[in-house]
Amino acid sequence: MSADPAGLSRDEVAHLARLARLAVTDAELDVFAGQLDVILGSVARVGEVAADDIPPTSHAVPLQNVFRPDELRPGLTQQQALAGAPAAEDGRFRVPQILGEEA
Amino acid sequence: MNELTRLNASELAGKIHSREVSAVEVAQAHLDRIAEVDGTVHAFLHVAAEAALESAGLVDASIAAGSAPASPLAGVPLALKDVFTTSDMPTTAGSRILEGWRPPYDATVATRLREAGITILGKTNMDEFAMGSSTEHSAYGVTRNPWDTGRVPGGSGGGSAAALAAFEAPLAIGTDTGGSIRQPAAFTGTVGVKPTYGGVSRYGLIACASSLDQGGPCARTVLDAALLHEVIGGHDPLDSTSIDQPVPSVVDATRIGAAGDLSGVRVGVVRELGGEGYQPGVRASFDEALAQLEKLGAELVEVSCPHFEYGLAAYYLILPSEVSSNLARFDAMRYGLRVEKGASAEEVMAATREAGFGPEVKRRIILGTYALSSGYYDAYYGQAQKVRTLISRDFTAAFAQADVLVSPTTPTTAFPIGDKVDDPLAMYLNDLATIPTNLAGTAAMSVPSGLAEGLPVGLQVMAPALGEAIMYRVGAAYEAARDDEAGSPLINGVPEVTR
């Protein structure tokens, strides 16, 4: 399988930035599009390796679920949990509106 | 400069534990040194003078009361990379988005340092969220290499490595995702160890790429790194990827190695690391190191790892993919920066991330978002994971022929500040020789191997997973032989920092 050699356009970078919740500026888009295109062209080399029958590795060390006894243990207090919050109210995180009026 | 700051951690520990000097005097000497040179070096983002002196005072009181030291390093000062959470100091990971953040809990590494009586002097500068190879991607300014203050100290742990080389601290902690401990060690003439994945707890280590990140010890000697390794290593129930096995006996292995006999040890020279693209001076230093290892009795074997050449490409797909996911937590809602721009959470989030992240972080988030998107996933992320398997297999085959593998740690010596900051791909090439170890989850270290055009070069020693003992043994044997032949440790040649 080979990667798309067409590379990344400025519009695609803008779209990806939106997906990643990054309000990038026009100037950044100009720079990033070129840089990312070069990087992508280089990393696409992974496609040169014939690896159809090779299993993927997500973690170098085999992972298995770890259980522990279901016991009460001290955790953060409400005050500690909220200490770094940009805004808090009534013991809760205060956040901007999440859903639109029509939602 | 107070002579105490020239001493190694093991020497300082000996003097403190025998009450020849107090831990407070040692801490104060290092704080004075920081005050003297850090205006130039900028290794530290935060200096915790009061807490450091208080912690050292407790060690002195305990020793005066006749108690055994809490650890072989009790009372010795240390510089902690600002990517580990500390409840009594700000933690920024080099990012504007965490400016002024005071974490509600300590990382396990911080807890273990405190329990061992180690004096934490402060938090060190780094590339933002550990993404970079020069520390130029810190939101808080560059760190300068004490060997040449016009050059970078490497990265992402440039602050920790520079603190050692500038004699601001005899011990430091780094994290290594693709070389961030080893490359700065090579650039500053210090020792840096990337333990086996899972060997040191990641609890409280702000994630860059979770399947690659590994904390580890940094020092000016292999013995000091080994002593620190045994303090921070070992199973932690708070990290589900932590290995539930005893820490390898690296201090014993180091002492055995320092005796200078490597007969019977097979050292593999990786054909694919060290040729094209490596600076001639680096190559020459490596060849001298090989001759030295042979003189120590080691048997040199050439090994081939044919898929290493795809390591960089696989890494720069896997890492950004994990980054794009891990950094989603910086959403302006629960902690960190919030830019109140726009009415909706989504607008505030986007504006905050735009203002809070630097260009390298943004590039990698966008690249990762792309690599994971439907339609491209198989070609990029999926294929990179297969390459990762092939690289692990290369290691397995190589370790069947050799006990450790060696290569130059980096293709070049420290480069001038500003040289590569606008050319991401050129920056990425720094990690060519260090990345395969992270992809395979194995262990590796960098030991000073000499100078090329006046700048330090590192020898990389790689070992199988949990093979730290043989790695430290080889590293210590080589260090002793090199220092002996050169007449003094490489670090003694570092010029005095001028303001």
Side-chain angles (χ1 to χ4, degrees):
Chain A
M1 191 180 314
S2 70
D4 176 12
L8 271 182
S9 69
R10 196 175 180 283
D11 285 351
E12 278 176 299
V13 174
H15 174 66
L16 291 165
R18 262 195 308 279
L19 290 177
R21 304 290 181 266
L22 287 170
V24 291
T25 62
D26 283 345
E28 274 179 319
L29 276 181
D30 290 338
V31 178
F32 287 170
Q35 288 173 333
L36 288 166
D37 198 49
V38 171
I39 296 169
L40 205 59
S42 173
V43 298
R45 286 199 66 206
V46 294
E48 294 169 12
V49 184
D52 281 349
D53 54 344
I54 303 297
T57 297
S58 65
H59 244 80
V61 177
L63 290 179
Q64 55 188 38
N65 197 17
V66 179
F67 291 97
R68 64 167 173 81
D70 186 15
E71 292 162 350
L72 275 180
R73 295 188 304 182
L76 296 181
T77 62
Q78 186 183 57
Q79 199 187 1
Q80 285 173 320
L82 291 170
E89 195 176 307
D90 299 334
R92 289 170 287 178
F93 294 101
R94 185 188 162 86
V95 301
Q97 184 180 356
I98 291 169
L99 301 174
E101 292 294 325
E102 301 297 312
Chain B
M1 166 164 38
N2 186 318
E3 283 305 310
L4 285 175
T5 61
R6 303 290 299 195
L7 299 179
N8 298 325
S10 55
E11 295 165 338
L12 285 170
K15 287 183 188 293
I16 293 166
H17 301 169
S18 66
R19 301 180 68 182
E20 192 183 327
V21 292
S22 70
V24 167
E25 282 174 74
V26 171
Q28 190 60 56
H30 286 89
L31 291 168
D32 291 346
R33 177 68 179 163
I34 293 169
E36 183 190 348
V37 298
D38 212 51
T40 301
V41 178
H42 191 45
F44 285 86
L45 292 179
H46 178 80
V47 179
E50 211 173 299
L53 292 170
E54 193 186 312
S55 158
L58 292 174
V59 171
D60 287 333
S62 161
I63 292 170
S67 307
S71 79
L73 292 172
V76 179
L78 173 142
L80 181 60
K81 189 176 182 182
D82 201 25
V83 71
F84 289 94
T85 57
T86 42
S87 54
D88 60 345
M89 294 176 220
T91 301
T92 68
S95 181
R96 199 59 75 190
I97 212 162
L98 285 179
E99 189 167 12
W101 182 52
R102 186 71 63 116
Y105 64 94
D106 270 342
T108 294
V109 164
T111 304
R112 290 193 177 167
L113 293 170
R114 294 185 206 278
E115 286 170 356
I118 291 172
T119 307
I120 303 176
L121 294 169
K123 308 292 287 289
T124 57
N125 200 11
M126 56 185 282
D127 286 296
E128 186 175 5
F129 291 109
M131 294 178 220
S133 308
S134 68
T135 315
E136 292 168 290
H137 292 307
S138 166
Y140 304 101
V142 300
T143 295
R144 294 178 180 278
N145 191 327
W147 287 85
D148 176 348
T149 53
R151 290 176 188 265
V152 303
S156 65
S160 286
L164 296 172
F167 297 95
E168 295 173 279
L171 296 173
I173 298 285
T175 60
D176 193 311
T177 304
S180 288
I181 287 175
R182 290 163 286 160
Q183 184 252 17
F187 276 17
T188 56
T190 58
V191 175
V193 177
K194 181 247 175 250
T196 301
Y197 183 81
V200 173
S201 171
R202 289 188 299 113
Y203 181 74
L205 195 186
I206 298 172
C208 174
S210 312
S211 81
L212 304 163
D213 295 343
Q214 185 57 64
C218 311
R220 289 192 294 259
T221 68
V222 175
L223 176 61
D224 287 357
L227 289 163
L228 185 55
H229 195 134
E230 291 195 3
V231 167
I232 59 173
H235 183 239
D236 177 15
L238 298 173
D239 172 1
S240 65
T241 59
S242 165
I243 299 171
D244 193 0
Q245 283 192 47
V247 191
S249 300
V250 294
V251 173
D252 285 349
T254 298
R255 297 196 197 279
I256 292 166
D261 182 12
L262 290 182
S263 48
V265 177
R266 297 168 304 163
V267 173
V269 183
V270 185
R271 192 186 300 156
E272 288 79 8
L273 299 176
E276 200 187 330
Y278 287 74
Q279 190 179 316
V282 168
R283 182 71 231 183
S285 177
F286 180 60
D287 287 340
E288 283 172 34
L290 292 182
Q292 193 73 260
L293 288 166
E294 217 165 12
K295 259 193 272 178
L296 286 161
E299 180 196 342
L300 298 187
V301 206
E302 193 186 56
V303 298
S304 177
C305 297
H307 299 97
F308 278 18
E309 65 167 304
Y310 298 99
L312 195 76
Y315 177 85
Y316 278 102
L317 286 165
I318 292 168
L319 178 133
S321 297
E322 294 192 24
V323 159
S324 72
S325 167
N326 272 330
L327 269 61
R329 72 186 53 154
F330 299 104
D331 59 4
M333 300 299 139
R334 291 153 302 156
Y335 61 111
L337 182 71
R338 176 184 289 179
V339 175
E340 301 277 3
K341 202 169 161 187
S344 73
E346 196 178 317
E347 286 169 287
V348 168
M349 212 179 280
T352 301
R353 289 159 64 83
E354 168 62 14
F357 290 146
E360 181 61 14
V361 170
K362 289 175 187 166
R363 273 192 291 269
R364 295 200 195 184
I365 289 175
I366 293 171
L367 187 63
T369 306
Y370 179 74
L372 291 176
S373 56
S374 85
Y376 298 104
Y377 182 96
D378 287 342
Y380 290 114
Y381 186 65
Q383 184 71 11
Q385 286 188 309
K386 291 178 172 187
V387 171
R388 190 171 186 180
T389 305
L390 292 168
I391 286 172
S392 289
R393 289 183 183 176
D394 279 1
F395 268 118
T396 304
F399 285 127
Q401 293 173 266
D403 301 302
V404 295
L405 308 178
V406 292
S407 78
T409 306
T410 55
T412 70
T413 53
F415 45 88
I417 291 169
D419 226 23
K420 300 182 181 182
V421 75
D422 295 321
D423 186 351
L425 201 58
M427 189 74 91
Y428 297 171
L429 288 171
N430 272 287
D431 304 329
L432 209 58
T434 45
I435 277 173
T437 294
N438 299 84
L439 290 173
T442 47
M445 73 194 300
S446 180
V447 184
S449 73
L451 299 176
E453 289 93 51
L455 293 168
V457 181
L459 170 72
Q460 179 174 231
V461 183
M462 296 166 270
L466 294 174
E468 272 92 343
I470 184 72
M471 177 179 87
Y472 271 94
R473 184 180 156 200
V474 171
Y478 171 70
E479 174 191 58
R482 200 218 69 87
D483 291 357
D484 199 40
E485 190 173 286
S488 72
L490 189 75
I491 196 72
N492 289 2
V494 67
E496 178 52 17
V497 175
T498 49
R499 265 172 285 184

